[in-house]
């Protein structure tokens, strides 16, 4: 069948009530969004898989997978419109990343029941008494709608060409007179919405991985510029020649953290030819990276920093530097070392400073 798979994964995960967004929960070393995409692609050979992602995370999705990544939007429906604008197949199968354990049978049942319908929908029958506006209603007439839903692509595009917000594809298609068919869904397709919902049979617990990354940076001196190291102003007649404030220590820490997470390097996020980072405060760049790691499921174990400088003398500042890095990284295990280059090379000749950093991170344990 000519089918594209669309996985909606751009939400802010506010109801999950965790620093880690639910699409970044880790399942055996994979973020949930990739786990779901890989799993569904084992069930059926789709012509293409499209995943929506938060604008700030598109870079990471592209780094970690070969799927087609599309920028999401502020609502599910707007994200879906962005995704299906890229769909070229006759049919589109749409699901939410929060339904992590959809069984293969549901996928195949959807495909086998296409017939002359515009949309095929899995559902469950409620087992409890249903009260609507204080009136008990016949639960046999109630359907609990699930995803994935299989639709004619052009019909779904037409149905979503509206300002009315719908919570699922079938409701939008039904509103324009489309023909809907229902199949039996699965209890296994439970949606991860609140904390604790992630404890599902198909989601294996994480192994106790530790990831290590290193960072290196060097900057030459520049006269009549403020010197900042580890976010602390250093008394000196010169600072660093750089596009940003030149905090060579924080730059190396950022590279170490990004390296440990497998998120490329500082230049990928803060290019030195981008005007918006001109004279940027490196503390803000580090805050961004720490937040990125935390929301994508990591916590920092420790950071070790070696500053290589002939001048200025840094020992009076080390304690203050350590406190600043601890504050910025939410990590108590920070170590700062300072050494000279024994008067060798450019650093030894007092032309600049280099910094080497090492960071260890692990997956944050959800409690």
């Amino acid at each position: 069948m000519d089918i594209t798979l669309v996985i909606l994964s751009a939400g802010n995960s506010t109801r999950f009530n965790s620093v880690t967004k639910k699409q970044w929960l880790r399942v055996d070393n994979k973020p949930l969004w990739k786990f779901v995409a890989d799993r569904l692609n084992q069930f059926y050979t789709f012509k293409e898989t499209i995943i929506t992602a938060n604008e700030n995370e598109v870079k990471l999705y592209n780094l970690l997978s070969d799927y087609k990544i599309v920028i999401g939007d502020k609502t599910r429906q707007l994200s879906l419109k962005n995704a299906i604008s890229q769909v070229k197949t006759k049919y589109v199968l749409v699901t939410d990343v929060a339904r992590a354990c959809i069984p293969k049978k549901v996928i195949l049942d959807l495909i086998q029941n296409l017939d002359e319908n515009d949309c095929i929908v899995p559902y469950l029958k409620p087992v409890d008494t249903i009260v609507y506006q204080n009136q008990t209603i016949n639960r046999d007439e109630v359907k609990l709608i699930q995803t994935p839903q299989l639709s004619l692509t052009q019909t779904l595009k037409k149905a979503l060409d509206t300002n009315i917000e719908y919570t699922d594809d079938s409701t939008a298609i039904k509103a324009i007179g489309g023909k809907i068919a229902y199949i039996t869904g699965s209890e296994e397709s439970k949606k991860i919405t609140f904390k604790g919902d992630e404890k599902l049979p198909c989601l294996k617990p994480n192994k106790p991985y530790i990831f290590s990354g290193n960072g290196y940076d060097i900057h030459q001196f520049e006269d009549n510029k403020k010197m900042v190291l580890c976010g602390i102003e250093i008394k000196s007649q010169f600072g660093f020649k750089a596009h940003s404030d030149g905090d060579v220590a924080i730059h190396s820490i950022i590279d170490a953290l990004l390296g440990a997470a497998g998120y490329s390097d500082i230049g990928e996020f803060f290019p030195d030819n981008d005007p918006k980072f001109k004279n940027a405060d490196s503390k803000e760049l580090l805050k961004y990276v720490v937040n990125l790691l935390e929301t994508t499921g990591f916590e920092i174990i420790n950071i070790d920093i070696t500053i290589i400088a002939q001048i200025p003398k840094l020992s009076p500042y080390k304690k203050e530097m350590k406190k600043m890095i601890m504050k910025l990284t939410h990590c108590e295990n920070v170590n700062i070392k300072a050494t000279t280059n024994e008067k060798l090379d450019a650093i030894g000749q007092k032309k600049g400073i280099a910094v080497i950093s090492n960071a260890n991170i692990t997956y944050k344990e959800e409690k």
Side-chain angles (χ1 to χ4, degrees), residues 97-134:
V97 71
R99 294 196 192 273
C101 296
I102 300 160
K104 181 177 181 178
K105 185 178 185 303
V106 170
I107 302 296
L108 299 182
D109 284 351
L110 286 166
I111 294 168
Q112 290 167 5
N113 283 276
L114 269 174
D115 296 328
E116 300 300 320
N117 299 295
D118 295 297
C119 182
I120 318 294
V121 185
Y123 79 99
L124 294 178
K125 293 179 179 180
V127 296
D128 298 312
T129 298
I130 305 294
V131 176
Y132 175 69
Q133 294 185 348
N134 293 326

Side-chain angles (χ1 to χ4, degrees), residues 112-332:
Q112 290 167 5
N113 283 276
L114 269 174
D115 296 328
E116 300 300 320
N117 299 295
D118 295 297
C119 182
I120 318 294
V121 185
Y123 79 99
L124 294 178
K125 293 179 179 180
V127 296
D128 298 312
T129 298
I130 305 294
V131 176
Y132 175 69
Q133 294 185 348
N134 293 326
Q135 297 294 320
T136 301
I137 62 176
N138 186 354
R139 65 187 177 194
D140 291 334
E141 296 178 358
V142 174
K143 291 181 174 66
L144 304 178
I145 300 301
Q146 298 182 316
T147 61
Q149 297 180 12
L150 182 60
S151 305
L152 283 165
T153 303
Q154 292 306 317
T155 305
L156 183 55
K157 287 181 178 180
K158 182 180 177 182
L160 295 180
D161 188 18
T162 176
N163 292 325
I164 302 172
E165 283 288 327
Y166 296 104
T167 56
D168 78 314
D169 317 345
S170 66
T171 309
I173 290 175
K174 193 171 185 179
I176 63 167
K179 185 178 178 183
I180 312 298
Y182 299 95
I183 66 164
T184 301
S186 172
E187 292 286 352
E188 295 177 47
S189 300
K190 181 181 178 182
K191 190 176 181 183
I192 301 172
T193 303
F194 303 106
K195 207 74 174 60
D197 290 345
E198 73 277 11
K199 295 173 182 178
L200 297 172
C202 83
L203 303 184
K204 298 177 182 178
N206 284 326
K207 296 176 182 177
Y209 292 107
I210 293 178
F211 303 94
S212 182
N214 62 74
Y216 171 82
D217 199 18
I218 185 169
H219 283 299
Q220 61 181 302
F221 294 137
E222 183 176 308
D223 291 331
N224 302 314
K225 191 174 180 181
K226 180 172 69 175
M227 178 181 286
V228 181
L229 271 177
C230 293
I232 301 301
E233 187 170 346
I234 308 297
K235 189 175 181 181
S236 173
Q237 294 179 335
F238 39 76
F240 297 111
K241 186 176 182 179
H243 185 62
S244 66
D245 63 7
D247 192 328
V248 63
I250 283 184
H251 295 174
S252 75
I253 295 168
I254 288 174
D255 258 351
L257 292 171
L258 291 174
Y263 291 171
S264 192
D265 56 42
I266 189 171
E268 188 82 25
F269 290 86
F270 316 114
D272 59 10
N273 56 1
D274 190 331
K276 72 180 178 182
F277 298 119
K278 179 70 174 174
N279 299 319
D281 182 344
S282 293
K283 295 193 298 297
E284 296 304 313
L285 306 186
L286 180 55
K287 286 179 185 177
Y288 176 92
V289 169
V290 170
N291 180 69
L292 183 69
L293 263 63
E294 290 178 344
T295 57
T296 59
F298 291 107
E299 63 180 340
I300 301 168
I301 299 173
N302 77 295
I303 300 171
D304 184 51
I305 306 151
T306 301
I307 304 172
I308 309 162
Q310 204 69 37
I311 56 170
K313 190 173 179 61
L314 298 176
S315 54
Y317 301 97
K318 284 171 63 179
K319 189 173 182 179
E320 195 176 357
M321 286 177 173
K322 180 176 178 177
K323 285 183 178 179
M324 176 60 74
I325 298 305
M326 289 170 63
K327 178 182 177 182
L328 293 172
T329 60
H330 311 152
C331 176
E332 295 184 359

